[in-house]
Amino acid sequence: MKRLAATLTIVVVIIAGCVSESEPEAAPTNARELFEGCVSAWDGNHDGLEARIRARLNDPGSMETHATYYNPDDSISDGEIAIRVDYSAANAFGGMVRTNAWASMGLDCEITAVTDYGF
């Protein structure tokens, strides 16, 4: 019985160590840190910008994102950076068109403005 109690104590200590509170993430200090913290780790795309573009397309289901970029020389001192997404989508005639869209992204990862939808 003492052996079981000792084992349970060790398990509780290990679990408590694993669920300890982590330190808050530091604020980004440059455009790269901001961009990498805001895009999907899965595919590298900004889901909020994709959603805004899809909402304006003739066939939203046809949108395929190829890449999302930022300008590494952009400064975050003004509270935002410019990002570009390269995508393709079906036009009104059913043909696929490849283009890009430009937007401004704030420090909170939200799209503040879409300056060019690419169509």
Side-chain angles (χ1 to χ4, degrees), residues 8 93 116:
L8 288 176
F93 301 107
D116 184 7

Side-chain angles (χ1 to χ4, degrees), residues 6 16 21-22 29-31 39 50 59 70 77 81 84 86-87 92 99 101 104 112:
E21 292 185 29
S22 60
T29 59
N30 58 45
V39 297
E50 287 182 341
D59 182 2
Y70 74 104
S77 62
I81 64 170
R84 182 185 91 208
D86 292 342
Y87 70 96
T99 188
S104 296
T112 56

Side-chain angles (χ1 to χ4, degrees), residues 43-45 64-69 84-87 98:
D43 60 8
N45 298 323
E64 181 180 331
T65 302
H66 302 289
T68 306
Y69 303 97
R84 182 185 91 208
V85 61
D86 292 342
Y87 70 96
R98 188 167 180 163

Side-chain angles (χ1 to χ4, degrees), residues 13 24 36 41 47 63 67 70 82 88-89 92 95 98-99 102:
V13 170
E36 290 176 355
D47 296 333
M63 182 179 174
Y70 74 104
S88 57
R98 188 167 180 163
T99 188
W102 288 89

Side-chain angles (χ1 to χ4, degrees), residues 29-33 35 69-78 80-82:
T29 59
N30 58 45
R32 180 187 57 79
E33 289 178 3
F35 179 78
Y69 303 97
Y70 74 104
N71 181 353
D73 297 328
D74 203 352
S75 172
I76 62 171
S77 62
D78 63 351
E80 60 186 28
I81 64 170

